[in-house]
Amino acid sequence: MLNSLRQIVQEVNSAPDLNAVLEIIVRRVKAAMNADVCSVFLRNQSNVYVLMATDGLHQNAVGKVSLSKEEGLVGYVATREEPINIDDAESHVKFQYFPETGEERFSSFLGAPIIHHRQVLGVLVVQQTQKRRFDEGDEAFLVTMSAQLAGVIAHAEATGALRGIGQKKEARFTGVAGASGVAIGRCVVSSPLADLYSVPYQTCEDVERELDFFQNCLSDVREDVKNLGEELENRLNKEERILFDAYLAMLDDKSLGGEVREKIRAGLSAQYSWSQVILEHVSTFNSMSDPYLRERASDVRDLGSRVLAALQQASSANKREYPDNTILVGEDLTASVLAEVPQGKLAGIVSLRGSSNSHIAILARSMGIPTVMGAVDLPFTHLDGHELIVDGYRGAVFADPSDAMREQYQEIVDEDKLLVAGLESLKDLPCETTDKHRVALWVNTGLKADAIISIERGAEGVGLYRTEVPFMLRDRFPSEEEQRAVYREQLEAFAPHTVTMRTLDIGGDKSLPYFPITEDNPFLGWRGIRVTLDHPEIFLSQVRAMLKASEGLGNLRIMLPMISNVAELEIAQMLIYRAYDELLEEGFSVQMPPIGVMVEVPAAVYQAKEFAARVDFLSVGSNDLTQYLLAVDRNNARVADLYHSLHPAVLRALKKVVDDSHSEGISVSICGELAGDPSAALLLVAMGFDVLSMSAANLLKVKSVIRAVSLEQAEKILDEVMAFPDAESINRCLEGTFREAGLTRLLRPDTDG
Ligand code: PEP
Ligand code: MG
């Protein structure tokens, strides 16, 4: 059973479109379950379940038979959202007869709902002429099958939606809101080198030239493989030598090369043709029952990547052109990919992976680039060059929009510009409540450009400088001197205001291309301070660079990420003192900066007092604290609905950290994304946070809200929400308050898209 399940899923995964997916499902499931009929019904936009494919019923019923949720056994399965197993279907009250299917011949019925992200997409049914009670094993098989197929069907439906574009309506894809705002522009697909799965669909203009280009690259790789085989000849065993010969044979004209040439002749680009041919072969090998042959899939993939890399490197098309208003789309975007887009050209970002608190989304927010994360079903390789609308408020992407939709979104873009311009006047006004309670509004930085926007918007300091960002944009660790120069720029830009530099915080979803960390559970693994304490040479050179950079300015604070126990703090402090003493001995006139701890893990909440007694300030990293308190991976779009920044447990933890810090007489800030949320900011002020640090894009919105209320009002709202049992009620209460105060525009614009 497991084998046929795996094989069916493999086959389905590589099917070119929704029809092919459904055809494979009905044919293969019918055979695997030894049934007389297998059919798939899918829900359409009018919420009706339409027969989309069948093996066993009359083919002319396909597309014609449809049932509402209230009709027939299919509707019954969809309503109950659980499998229904009946040995005498005709006698069931819900049975409904459709003459066009020839259904009267079938007595037994087993149906399972196809559910994706809690939505019933359709129903998978098997039937039998004889009275047959499908047994528990059959039922379990069908349920497993439909659970596995749901994602593939959703994806194929999404791709199908794209094919219909230009005809009636734009295709809509959903994800998670990553950075607010709306962008309208042209899609540029970002495909990492040698990644067969992300090659954009592109045609070629000159077939003969493309064929020559392909031929040349292929000959180069053949030559390389041949040379490598000869070099290693004496070190290879017989089987390995055979593998090299097999590689060479595969590159032959009569094999893969020939298939690719056919596709190029049909007008496709060499890169796309090559990736498609390889993926077809990989999937054929993968679906083989012989384990040895199945293993060969990885050989084909290896070879495929090697040739693809050669094609990409040799192709002038690979030197990407970025149009004005580029919408960058990719499976897993990185800081360095964003940095490749020339300044001023990047309008929007869509990432298939990640969620709203992934670091790429945070970076996008700080750049003010509307972003959608976790758009898992986006058929991105088919979107290169298409016009896209990115709705970063709702987490939606529209491909090839109609004129009406473009106009509707253009209005929002214009309104947003007006809103930002309207807030400019607040730039030099103090951030204080109507009863003169002063709060410091600082910014989070990382990129060079952040400093300029931050100062323009009136930032009074930096609450979090993410030092890992300059590390990510290099291809090796920066030297102490290189770091010093970067840090100096940051400190000088803000002097005399404070700049809080966090020591290197890698791991989790932040990896350095030259220092990969591969773990099963990266957010609970080797990240933040754990990495740098294991590598004191990296830590010391970073701290030395920070101290040297602060010479003569005196506006540096050092902050330690992911501290989960006192020992980590004490060792880090000891290393900072060591760096400081060394520099004094070397003749630098540096000052010992204030040192702070980030409160990012639940343990730190309960030990806030102990930490506060040992340092100069605490700063809450609410992005991580929320994920660890709620056990919700901040990088996983599938659980994004559970990532409640205003969960009562989070609010109570925040309040405790503020009280414990103040009882030890030290200042406390918050530098997670929560601080930049205008409605949350009210609560944070009422709790007593001394500093709110956020991306510059949110600074003036937050200031305008704080200046519109009194501390007393904010405290009243806080008292009210602290008594609520869940995040939904808290959000509703805050929305109500904002509506009454006429501040809704600061939260997000209304769209009915
Ligand atoms: C946080 O966790 O809230 C934080 C500010 O750090 P980062 O988002 O960089 O992990
Ligand atoms: Mg963090």
Side-chain angles (χ1 to χ4, degrees):
M1 274 276 169
L2 184 60
N3 241 350
S4 43
L5 212 134
R6 202 175 46 74
Q7 280 176 18
I8 298 174
V9 173
Q10 277 289 354
E11 212 177 309
V12 162
N13 261 324
S14 55
D17 55 34
L18 181 61
N19 278 343
V21 165
L22 300 180
E23 285 307 323
I24 296 167
I25 292 174
V26 293
R27 184 167 42 81
R28 301 282 266 128
V29 171
K30 178 183 156 199
M33 296 188 67
N34 212 3
D36 293 333
V37 179
C38 178
S39 315
V40 180
F41 293 77
L42 292 187
R43 198 183 65 189
N44 69 10
Q45 284 174 337
S46 325
N47 276 334
V48 167
Y49 292 84
V50 182
L51 176 66
M52 296 295 290
T54 181
D55 187 346
L57 299 181
H58 290 168
Q59 284 306 317
N60 52 12
V62 172
K64 299 215 179 74
V65 170
S66 60
L67 306 94
S68 75
K69 238 182 153 186
E70 287 73 41
E71 290 178 310
L73 291 170
V74 167
Y76 192 48
V77 174
T79 311
R80 293 186 48 142
E81 299 188 359
E82 60 180 353
I84 305 287
N85 186 0
I86 309 167
D87 50 5
D88 183 9
E90 275 175 305
S91 62
H92 194 279
V93 282
K94 288 285 180 185
F95 179 77
Q96 196 162 336
Y97 172 58
F98 291 94
E100 51 277 56
T101 61
E103 204 170 6
E104 77 270 31
R105 307 199 317 264
F106 303 103
S107 314
S108 325
F109 173 101
L110 171 61
I114 303 168
I115 301 182
H116 183 61
H117 291 321
R118 297 193 189 177
Q119 303 281 337
V120 180
L121 298 183
V123 177
L124 180 59
V125 175
V126 285
Q127 289 170 285
Q128 197 77 27
T129 319
Q130 272 89 41
K131 261 197 174 182
R132 161 182 174 187
R133 178 84 193 164
F134 287 103
D135 64 22
E136 260 183 26
D138 295 326
E139 208 174 305
F141 178 79
L142 202 68
V143 168
T144 316
M145 200 74 245
S146 86
Q148 286 246 24
L149 295 173
V152 190
I153 291 176
H155 191 75
E157 277 191 330
T159 315
L162 184 67
R163 297 250 160 81
I165 54 179
Q167 292 162 19
K168 354 183 221 342
K169 232 182 142 209
E170 51 280 316
R172 182 184 205 272
F173 305 95
T174 47
V176 176
S180 63
V182 165
I184 305 173
R186 292 262 149 220
C187 169
V188 173
V189 172
S190 152
S191 40
L193 196 67
D195 179 359
L196 291 160
Y197 296 87
S198 67
V199 180
Y201 171 91
Q202 272 166 350
T203 52
C204 67
E205 278 162 23
D206 183 340
V207 169
E208 287 312 315
R209 217 177 53 204
E210 198 74 358
L211 283 168
D212 281 349
F213 166 65
F214 174 64
Q215 189 54 46
N216 290 340
C217 285
L218 206 59
S219 309
D220 288 350
V221 176
R222 292 199 77 201
E223 204 52 36
D224 281 354
V225 173
K226 221 164 114 197
N227 291 342
L228 193 64
E230 279 165 10
E231 261 173 46
L232 297 174
E233 177 129 38
N234 299 331
R235 278 181 272 156
L236 296 180
N237 62 31
K238 196 171 144 230
E239 270 174 16
E240 286 161 342
R241 270 202 301 273
I242 291 174
L243 199 62
F244 268 93
D245 292 341
Y247 266 24
L248 285 173
M250 275 194 268
L251 293 174
D252 215 296
D253 269 6
K254 289 178 224 74
S255 181
L256 300 175
E259 291 176 45
V260 174
R261 246 183 293 280
E262 241 174 72
K263 286 196 190 294
I264 298 176
R265 281 200 193 94
L268 295 174
S269 71
Q271 288 182 25
Y272 187 71
S273 305
W274 175 259
S275 68
Q276 292 308 296
V277 167
I278 292 296
L279 292 178
E280 281 159 24
H281 283 274
V282 167
S283 99
T284 310
F285 278 110
N286 267 333
S287 59
M288 289 180 175
S289 40
D290 180 313
Y292 175 79
L293 288 176
R294 227 174 26 241
E295 274 294 298
R296 301 288 64 81
S298 59
D299 298 335
V300 178
R301 208 182 296 110
D302 270 7
L303 184 69
S305 302
R306 196 181 257 261
V307 176
L308 178 62
L311 287 168
Q312 288 173 324
Q313 273 157 348
S315 162
S316 57
N318 198 43
K319 289 169 200 57
R320 297 299 321 229
E321 298 228 333
Y322 296 94
D324 287 343
N325 294 318
T326 289
I327 310 277
L328 196 63
V329 179
E331 216 169 2
D332 210 358
L333 297 169
T334 59
S336 53
V337 170
L338 299 198
E340 271 168 30
V341 185
Q343 208 157 14
K345 297 232 171 192
L346 185 60
I349 297 171
V350 182
S351 170
L352 273 75
R353 299 235 180 98
S355 193
S356 62
N357 281 293
S358 301
H359 281 90
I360 207 70
I362 292 175
L363 211 56
R365 248 171 268 161
S366 84
M367 295 160 73
I369 306 287
T371 297
V372 171
M373 301 293 295
V376 280
D377 290 325
L378 190 78
F380 73 113
T381 53
H382 288 265
L383 287 173
D384 203 57
H386 284 247
E387 185 181 15
L388 295 185
I389 293 180
V390 178
D391 180 345
Y393 291 111
R394 291 162 173 254
V397 182
F398 300 90
D400 287 358
S402 61
D403 292 346
M405 170 155 287
R406 193 182 308 105
E407 272 167 35
Q408 186 194 342
Y409 271 102
Q410 187 58 49
E411 271 174 33
I412 301 176
V413 173
D414 297 342
E415 276 172 31
D416 281 357
K417 277 194 194 136
L418 281 180
L419 177 71
V420 172
L423 293 171
E424 293 266 300
S425 57
L426 297 177
K427 165 174 149 351
D428 297 319
L429 297 178
C431 179
E432 59 189 14
T433 55
T434 53
D435 47 359
K436 304 285 175 218
H437 173 74
R438 192 87 161 77
V439 187
L441 280 202
W442 291 9
V443 281
N444 296 345
T445 59
L447 296 168
K448 236 187 203 170
D450 289 338
I452 303 158
I453 319 176
S454 306
I455 291 161
E456 274 172 13
R457 306 232 161 124
E460 300 166 316
V462 176
L464 165 62
Y465 171 61
R466 288 187 166 95
T467 57
E468 53 281 358
V469 179
F471 275 69
M472 283 171 179
L473 302 177
R474 287 193 153 70
D475 53 12
R476 55 164 175 76
F477 283 113
S479 67
E480 188 175 310
E481 177 48 27
E482 283 167 334
Q483 291 185 60
R484 190 205 59 79
V486 178
Y487 303 156
R488 179 81 188 175
E489 250 179 44
Q490 192 58 210
L491 290 161
E492 271 177 347
F494 286 92
H497 295 310
T498 303
V499 174
T500 312
M501 296 202 164
R502 174 170 74 184
T503 60
L504 189 66
D505 184 25
I506 51 171
D509 68 333
K510 282 181 290 192
S511 63
L512 302 175
Y514 47 89
F515 190 67
I517 300 173
T518 314
E519 290 178 314
D520 285 344
N521 210 342
F523 278 106
L524 294 185
W526 203 46
R527 62 174 303 216
I529 198 75
R530 301 169 186 183
V531 177
T532 47
L533 288 187
D534 284 352
H535 279 280
E537 77 286 12
I538 296 174
F539 188 82
L540 280 168
S541 100
Q542 183 172 39
V543 170
R544 283 173 56 93
M546 288 176 182
L547 293 172
K548 281 199 222 166
S550 72
E551 220 182 350
L553 294 174
N555 60 340
L556 168 71
R557 301 202 299 181
I558 294 183
M559 183 160 83
L560 306 165
M562 280 291 290
I563 295 281
S564 61
N565 59 55
V566 170
E568 282 171 341
L569 168 61
E570 287 178 345
I571 298 170
Q573 281 174 314
M574 190 263 293
L575 290 171
I576 295 172
Y577 275 106
R578 196 170 116 191
Y580 170 71
D581 289 341
E582 276 171 17
L583 288 175
L584 287 183
E585 271 169 34
E586 290 168 30
F588 290 92
S589 77
V590 291
Q591 289 171 22
M592 186 63 197
I595 298 176
V597 158
M598 285 190 81
V599 178
E600 302 193 273
V601 300
V605 173
Y606 294 103
Q607 287 212 288
K609 244 178 179 314
E610 285 87 340
F611 291 145
R614 289 166 171 77
V615 293
D616 304 296
F617 66 96
L618 292 189
S619 183
V620 178
S622 55
N623 306 333
D624 277 316
L625 185 58
T626 307
Q627 81 159 340
Y628 293 126
L629 276 176
L630 306 184
V632 175
D633 181 345
R634 64 192 268 188
N635 201 33
N636 183 347
R638 194 177 285 188
V639 289
D641 288 353
L642 295 172
Y643 190 97
H644 297 300
S645 315
L646 294 176
H647 191 291
V650 174
L651 294 187
R652 283 173 212 174
L654 295 176
K655 182 79 179 89
K656 177 172 164 27
V657 175
V658 173
D659 293 345
D660 288 353
S661 309
H662 287 169
S663 75
E664 289 296 322
I666 64 160
S667 115
V668 59
S669 28
I670 174 160
C671 59
E673 293 301 293
L674 192 64
D677 172 343
S679 55
L682 275 192
L683 305 180
L684 302 173
V685 169
M687 282 180 192
F689 275 101
D690 303 293
V691 180
L692 308 187
S693 188
M694 64 201 70
S695 42
N698 293 325
L699 201 86
L700 294 178
K701 285 188 196 172
V702 170
K703 194 191 267 190
S704 114
V705 168
I706 293 176
R707 287 180 56 86
V709 294
S710 66
L711 179 61
E712 202 186 331
Q713 281 170 317
E715 282 172 347
K716 235 174 99 209
I717 302 169
L718 179 66
D719 278 350
E720 199 179 334
V721 302
M722 286 302 254
F724 287 136
D726 52 48
E728 287 79 7
S729 329
I730 296 173
N731 281 318
R732 261 199 311 276
C733 171
L734 289 173
E735 273 166 29
T737 310
F738 269 65
R739 211 173 311 114
E740 277 164 32
L743 293 170
T744 317
R745 284 292 293 124
L746 292 169
L747 298 182
R748 67 175 50 108
D750 299 318
T751 55
D752 50 14

